[in-house]
Amino acid sequence: QVQLAESGGGLVQPGGSLRLSCAASGSTSNVIGTGWFRQAPGKEREFVAVVSTNGLIIYYSPSVKGRFTISRDNAKSTVDLQMNSLNAEDTAVYYCAATVYLSGSNYYLDTKYDYWGQGTQVTVSS
């Protein structure tokens, strides 16, 4: 069993930055990838980014590539999401998710992830 807990959400102005953190605990030995999804009001849950446990594989949604950076801190057992150049379309509840498999053909599908955090609200507004 794996538990995930997000933190770092909040209110930020357009063009600003925010850093989210996902802390993993429990039986994480089978987790091969940990990433982020987001869901805005009235929209489907959307893939954001994922990083493999060994840190060698990273995928980004085209909508955030170049602005967001996903990374892991093994010493802290966290996966972080550095978000820069934020705009109103980034406003959403951000969820941390973990998977026991990671594929180049289905990494973006929320149905392929096995564990989920409770979500943290990110609001971009002036």
Side-chain angles (χ1 to χ4, degrees):
Q1 191 174 4
V2 175
Q3 293 82 43
L4 303 174
E6 304 96 333
S7 63
L11 176 65
V12 64
Q13 294 183 351
S17 299
L18 205 61
R19 189 177 184 89
L20 305 181
S21 181
C22 174
S25 61
S27 302
T28 61
S29 61
N30 292 329
V31 173
I32 195 169
T34 305
W36 295 87
F37 287 77
R38 65 186 183 184
Q39 187 167 25
K43 295 187 176 181
E44 297 291 320
R45 199 185 304 267
E46 175 191 20
F47 169 77
V48 177
V50 64
V51 59
S52 61
T53 299
N54 61 17
L56 299 179
I57 301 175
I58 294 177
Y59 296 114
Y60 291 102
S61 164
S63 64
V64 307
K65 191 173 184 179
R67 298 188 299 122
F68 291 11
T69 302
I70 190 169
S71 62
R72 61 170 54 253
D73 187 333
N74 291 327
K76 298 180 179 179
S77 298
T78 62
V79 172
D80 300 329
L81 185 69
Q82 177 66 47
M83 305 185 294
N84 299 325
S85 301
L86 288 164
N87 56 63
E89 294 186 359
D90 296 314
T91 295
V93 176
Y94 283 70
Y95 297 91
C96 181
T99 178
V100 299
Y101 293 104
L102 189 62
S103 170
S105 62
N106 62 15
Y107 61 88
Y108 56 90
L109 298 175
D110 56 358
T111 56
K112 299 300 182 180
Y113 287 73
D114 305 284
Y115 308 101
W116 293 84
Q118 79 286 350
T120 184
Q121 177 70 49
V122 172
T123 302
V124 184
S125 177
S126 60

